[in-house]
């Protein structure tokens, strides 16, 4: 390593970004030739995998970034919205919003090495009226909006005498039968009992309708597990309509309806769309080569082929698993692994030694079905899978989430001596 200083910029303090920055700051502790910059639009690290819980009840889903920065003098945190990544000029532009800047000009952060870890957005697929009228579940505010709105609908229904109006107030439609849609549908269905009691509503009245365009929900689980999940969901009163495509949403005389095919329009005040994700356009506009969902094509070390020293990780990266030839799914477990490897590779890059290729480890998948049930599988050492559905699964799901929190807690504690 030469004596000039190196600026490493990490965009995004999500699962991938936090893992990367935490390791980097430890590796370069005391080395003032390397400066680490973390950029995010929020002052907190969001535990996105628990957002569905926050959409129905109090749940800890944020960890303040400041907790980590306290003694990590080698990290500079930049609060702001990334509005432009200029890979050719090695610079990133940030917008702070009107109130924070005097003249509205963006702040520029220059880098020697860059890690793009900005996660994903909801994909509304340009379905007419959907983005305008449906809720989504991606940010803390989204979960709080869903929760406040659902409670409000029950409060209005409590004194509504017209049956059709009560029906639409108490009908929650969820578009998308993947992990997020199923986890959210089951949480909401389980919350109904308490809401009915609070607002004196007949428990037979509210309903959750899950619409899925393909012929099955939970595509990453095997057939038997899907059947058992459907049984568990139906026992909670959830209506699952597969082969049913959301065609649009429209407002007529102040009343909302979800257009679907096949089937009559569904009148509802609450449509939540979880049907897909996409990557922000600013990444494509950066000059990076992108593929499916706008994810960045990366080499086997997660670098952008045309831009050595620039890495994409987590939902942003379209990495290929060499063992299967398939693309690595968008999931927190892979974002964490990629963040960790990228920190190691940045150290190698700074030291001028060869980088280590990414070999994804698949630990399994767990989908919660409400508070006390989960379905999924765990990878066993001999290459087989341990499949489960039940209470133990929900403990495992909780353990996975707590493990991440424990990692963050331990990092902070090791650094400062207290949390
Ligand atoms: C409800 C729900 C449940 C899920 N459950 C699971 C699960 O059980 N298991 C699992 O493996 N995965 C799950 N996922 C998927 C998982 O959360 C994502 O795959 C994971 O968060 C991706 O990590 P990441 O580091 O790529 O991005 P993220 O964790 O999304 O982090 C991106 C960061 O970038 C910041 N950012 C984005 N754009 C900008 C910008 N322009 N300027 C500044 N900052 C920006 C964001 O604020 C955020 O902090 C779930 C997702 C949802 C929505």
């Amino acid at each position: 390593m030469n004596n000039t200083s190196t600026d490493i910029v990490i965009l995004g303090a999500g699962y991938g970004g936090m893992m990367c920055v935490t390791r980097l700051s430890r590796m370069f502790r005391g080395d003032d030739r390397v400066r680490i910059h973390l950029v995010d639009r929020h002052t907190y690290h969001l535990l996105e995998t628990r957002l569905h819980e926050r959409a129905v009840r109090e749940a800890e889903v944020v960890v303040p970034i400041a907790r980590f920065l306290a003694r990590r003098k080698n990290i500079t945190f930049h609060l702001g919205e990334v509005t432009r990544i200029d890979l050719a000029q090695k610079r990133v532009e940030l917008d702070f919003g009107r109130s924070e800047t005097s003249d509205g000009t963006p702040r520029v952060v220059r880098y020697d090495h860059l890690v793009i870890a900005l996660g994903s957005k909801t994909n509304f697929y340009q379905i007419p009226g959907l983005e305008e009228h449906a809720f989504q579940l991606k940010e803390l505010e989204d979960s709080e909006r869903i929760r406040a709105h659902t409670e409000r609908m029950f409060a209005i229904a409590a004194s509504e005498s017209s049956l059709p109006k009560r029906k639409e107030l108490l009908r929650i439609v969820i578009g998308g039968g993947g992990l997020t849609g199923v986890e959210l549908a089951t949480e909401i269905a389980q919350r109904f009992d308490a809401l009915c009691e609070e607002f004196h509503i007949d428990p037979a009245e509210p309903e959750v309708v899950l619409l899925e365009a393909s012929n099955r929900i939970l595509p990453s689980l095997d057939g038997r597990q899907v059947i058992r999940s459907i049984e568990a969901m139906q026992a909670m009163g959830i209506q699952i309509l597969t082969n049913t495509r959301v065609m649009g949403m429209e407002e007529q005389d102040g009343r909302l309806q979800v257009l679907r095919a096949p089937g009559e329009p569904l009148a509802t005040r609450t449509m939540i769309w979880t049907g897909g994700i996409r990557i922000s356009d600013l990444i494509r506009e950066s000059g990076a080569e992108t593929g499916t969902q706008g994810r960045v094509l990366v080499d086997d070390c997660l670098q952008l082929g045309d831009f050595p020293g620039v890495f994409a990780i987590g939902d942003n990266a379209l990495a290929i698993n060499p063992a299967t030839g398939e693309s690595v799914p968008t999931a927190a477990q892979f974002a964490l692994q990629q963040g960790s490897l990228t920190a190691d590779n940045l150290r190698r890059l700074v030291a001028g030694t060869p980088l280590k290729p990414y070999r994804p480890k698949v630990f399994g998948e767990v989908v919660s079905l409400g508070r006390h049930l989960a379905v999924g599988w765990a990878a066993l050492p001999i290459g087989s899978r341990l499949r489960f559905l039940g209470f133990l699964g929900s403990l495992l799901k909780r353990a996975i989430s707590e493990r991440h929190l424990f990692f963050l807690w331990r990092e902070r504690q090791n650094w400062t001596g207290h949390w």
Side-chain angles (χ1 to χ4, degrees), residues 62-372:
V62 296
V63 179
I65 290 171
R67 282 192 190 173
F68 292 89
L69 301 182
R71 301 258 177 100
R72 290 172 191 260
K73 301 288 183 217
N74 56 356
I75 304 178
T76 304
F77 179 59
H78 303 259
L79 176 67
E81 179 80 20
V82 177
T83 51
R84 184 157 183 248
I85 303 170
D86 187 339
L87 294 174
Q89 299 295 323
K90 295 191 166 194
R91 66 204 282 275
V92 173
E93 291 180 10
L94 304 185
D95 186 357
F96 296 86
R98 251 181 239 152
S99 55
E100 279 93 356
T101 47
S102 50
D103 59 359
T105 49
R107 179 185 287 184
V108 172
V109 181
R110 293 181 189 280
Y111 63 83
D112 296 295
H113 304 306
L114 181 71
V115 180
I116 306 173
L118 292 172
S120 52
K121 301 161 77 143
T122 303
N123 195 343
F124 292 96
Y125 299 104
Q126 298 182 322
I127 298 172
L130 197 59
E131 186 163 3
E132 189 187 343
H133 297 298
F135 291 90
Q136 54 181 315
L137 188 61
K138 262 294 174 191
E139 297 277 351
L140 175 64
E141 297 77 26
D142 298 330
S143 63
E144 287 176 345
R145 249 180 246 133
I146 291 171
R147 185 163 150 206
H149 174 83
T150 313
E151 290 182 6
R152 197 173 138 74
M153 293 304 103
F154 273 73
I156 298 172
S159 61
E160 176 57 64
S161 53
S162 145
L163 269 182
K165 280 192 183 161
R166 285 177 76 84
K167 192 90 193 142
E168 65 184 60
L169 285 163
L170 298 172
R171 174 184 285 139
I172 292 173
V173 182
I174 297 177
L179 176 143
T180 306
V182 167
E183 291 195 330
L184 182 63
T186 48
E187 284 284 347
I188 292 179
Q190 284 195 335
R191 175 87 176 102
F192 279 170
D193 280 349
L195 287 172
C196 286
E197 202 174 312
E198 284 164 24
F199 294 103
H200 308 157
I201 286 170
D202 177 354
E205 281 193 84
E207 63 174 356
V208 176
V209 182
L210 185 69
L211 304 178
E212 166 55 46
S214 75
N215 62 0
R216 56 172 291 175
I217 60 166
L218 298 173
S220 56
L221 297 187
D222 73 26
R224 248 186 74 220
Q225 284 191 306
V226 173
I227 291 170
R228 292 183 65 197
S229 306
I230 290 174
E231 286 165 2
M233 291 167 73
Q234 285 171 338
M236 294 177 198
I238 300 170
Q239 248 193 79
I240 304 165
L241 302 178
T242 50
N243 293 312
T244 305
R245 190 170 288 278
V246 173
M247 304 303 289
M249 282 193 78
E250 55 180 37
E251 197 175 350
Q252 257 184 10
D253 308 325
R255 299 174 75 176
L256 275 181
Q257 52 184 13
V258 178
L259 310 178
R260 58 179 167 150
E264 293 294 305
L266 277 173
T268 182
R269 299 276 184 96
T270 318
M271 165 68 171
I272 309 168
W273 177 248
T274 67
I277 58 160
R278 69 179 184 88
I279 307 306
S280 166
D281 290 340
L282 75 90
I283 292 182
R284 186 178 33 80
E285 288 157 6
S286 71
E289 205 182 334
T290 54
T292 328
Q293 296 166 315
R295 296 166 76 192
V296 179
L297 302 185
V298 289
D299 65 15
D300 65 349
C301 297
L302 305 175
Q303 281 186 114
L304 278 60
D306 292 339
F307 301 97
V310 177
F311 298 79
I313 61 172
D315 287 2
N316 285 170
L318 190 58
I320 301 298
N321 183 345
T324 60
E326 289 171 7
S327 56
V328 176
T330 51
Q333 62 172 309
F334 301 113
L336 290 166
Q337 290 171 25
Q338 293 170 7
S340 172
L341 176 82
T342 299
D344 293 351
N345 274 339
L346 280 162
R347 183 172 57 173
R348 291 187 180 94
L349 205 58
V350 171
T353 56
L355 306 193
K356 201 173 153 197
Y358 172 54
R359 298 284 176 262
K361 293 189 192 76
V362 186
F363 296 116
E365 184 170 353
V366 195
V367 182
S368 65
L369 301 173
R371 282 187 94 157
H372 308 298

Side-chain angles (χ1 to χ4, degrees), residues 14-16 40-42 48-49 80-82 118-119 179 315 331-332 397:
Y15 289 95
D40 204 284
R41 57 160 74 113
H42 299 304
E48 198 174 292
T49 59
E81 179 80 20
V82 177
L118 292 172
L179 176 143
D315 287 2
K397 176 97 183 172

